[in-house]
Amino acid sequence: MSGGLTAPKGTFDTLPPDSARFLAVRDTLTTPLRRAGYGYVETPVFEETAVFSRGVGESTDVVTKEMYTFDDRGGRSLTLRPELTAGLMRAFIEHRLYDAALPVKLWTVGSAFRYERPQAGRYRHFTQVDMEALGVDDPALDAEVVALGVQGFRDLGLTDFELLLTSLGDATCRPQYRELLVAFLEKVDLDDETRRRAVINPLRVLDDKRPEVQAQLADAPLMVDHLSDSTRAHYDAVRQHLTDLGVTWTEAPRLVRGLDYYTKTTFEFVHSGLGAQSAIGGGGRYDGLSAALGGPDVSGIGYAVGVDRTLLAVQAEGLDVDTAAGVQAFVVPLGAEAKRLAVRLVGQLRAAGISADTVYGDRGLKGAMKAAERSGASHAVVIGDRDLAEGVGQLQDLRSREKTAVAVADLFDALRRATVGA
């Protein structure tokens, strides 16, 4: 009984057998990163609030409306991480990883928390795979990052996803574009809150999803049309490398990610089967983030992919992601002496790298065999006290139902051979 306690609103539990698909999606998304030499990092799920207010941006909905912020017993303002990049960059600075050979390539996976209105595909607690390549500004590195994200989706078998791509300029061309955009927005009918947001970061207004606002932005100037020569060359090189890597994309000049730190290459992955919450991941270059957090003025690029969202995309396409069976071998003991042998045999199988299980509690043969069927095992061994008296156990193929009497001393080898070939 739960005693009336339930998971908090906007969160959910991932339980077997569905959790096997969750793990399969998570591991498939991270495999390309490991193959590309990215190293795993673990950071706290909460940070000093300044890590996010300075890193993510004061004008974002994430900071102004969605963060879980609290004072700890020492009076320090802490925040559950709403995204993973800022905390990872804090670790990069604190531990002086920039003193090593560059770029520093890192990845992590973990929970993030945002106070949002719960709906399909949008939760208050979610899991992200996050990767970052820090310290080098190279269009080829941008292309590598984007292509690794694409590879993860391809490895899952997804086909109905789309890569949206643009450039958000840099310090050499943003100021002039900002002036153009601010002048345009002054003529637009905006509510007071949106007007205040426009003062802090006018680009954020382009991300407003309200139809009445979007209708007024049809003729707004676009950053991609006002790139400096160097930034344009950077963007052209990124697209050429993506072409060489066999990656296709859709130009998205109005793409504005929900965080303030993006510059130059900016991208998003969307899936046609998810309705309004179509984004399954995204990222970009953030050349000013390290400096904003008190670190050296070094560049970086990365992305985050939602494991939960990607799993929804997998389900939308009807894909059967590869999930390993719970166990390979199952031992059914009938009697006290048989139980001792079963515990020992299961331990030997596990030590040899074979997933194995047995029944616990007092179950008859019928109940025990049902447990063996549910386990996903391909083979079972049934051992009764009468079998032990005869020095044998019954090896059963759970698919063909074929049974073979095997000497007790040979049960381990017989199970190992049977499961390896299953």
Side-chain angles (χ1 to χ4, degrees), residues 186-224:
E186 287 175 353
K187 305 171 186 176
V188 176
D189 183 19
L190 300 175
D191 59 82
D192 292 342
E193 181 181 350
T194 305
R195 183 71 65 188
R196 284 193 295 271
R197 180 184 297 176
V199 171
I200 300 173
N201 184 355
L203 270 173
R204 300 290 303 126
V205 180
L206 298 180
D207 195 37
D208 198 308
K209 300 298 190 295
R210 291 173 294 178
E212 64 272 20
V213 176
Q214 281 299 316
Q216 300 182 76
L217 299 177
D219 297 325
L222 301 174
M223 183 71 249
V224 74

Side-chain angles (χ1 to χ4, degrees), residues 328 343-356 412 416:
Q328 297 165 275
V343 170
R344 185 169 72 250
L345 182 56
V346 166
Q348 290 174 320
L349 289 166
R350 290 172 178 171
I354 299 168
S355 53
F412 170 76
R416 181 168 58 180

Side-chain angles (χ1 to χ4, degrees), residues 14-177:
T14 303
L15 306 172
D18 293 337
S19 55
R21 287 184 285 275
F22 179 92
L23 289 174
V25 169
R26 185 196 67 184
D27 293 345
T28 301
L29 291 173
T30 60
T31 296
L33 307 180
R34 296 194 293 271
R35 285 199 301 253
Y38 286 70
Y40 183 72
V41 174
E42 187 84 24
T43 60
V45 296
F46 59 87
E47 299 269 2
E48 292 185 37
T49 300
V51 169
F52 305 114
S53 60
R54 288 161 57 186
V56 173
E58 295 283 6
S59 71
T60 63
D61 284 349
V62 171
V63 171
T64 60
K65 300 178 181 180
E66 298 171 3
M67 294 203 310
Y68 283 93
T69 298
F70 59 96
D71 289 339
D72 71 0
R73 294 183 179 182
R76 293 170 287 264
S77 179
L78 301 175
T79 296
L80 295 179
R81 61 187 182 197
E83 55 93 55
L84 277 61
T85 296
L88 197 149
M89 181 63 83
R90 187 271 310 152
F92 171 79
I93 296 167
E94 179 179 348
H95 301 286
R96 300 181 65 88
L97 300 185
Y98 50 82
D99 287 338
L102 302 176
V104 175
K105 295 182 173 184
L106 307 172
W107 73 275
T108 189
V109 60
S111 298
F113 309 86
R114 297 186 189 179
Y115 189 86
E116 299 186 282
R117 183 171 63 87
Q119 53 187 296
R122 186 180 289 270
Y123 313 105
R124 293 178 176 175
H125 165 224
F126 50 95
T127 302
Q128 289 186 334
V129 169
D130 184 279
M131 62 89 79
E132 319 291 343
L134 307 172
V136 172
D137 183 359
D138 185 336
L141 187 59
D142 294 29
E144 173 184 281
V145 167
V146 174
L148 288 172
V150 169
Q151 190 62 53
F153 297 134
R154 287 176 176 172
D155 289 348
L156 284 168
L158 291 172
T159 58
D160 297 339
F161 71 94
E162 183 180 16
L163 166 63
L164 306 180
L165 185 70
T166 193
S167 174
L168 291 181
D170 65 5
T172 65
C173 50
R174 274 269 191 98
Q176 293 88 342
Y177 170 69

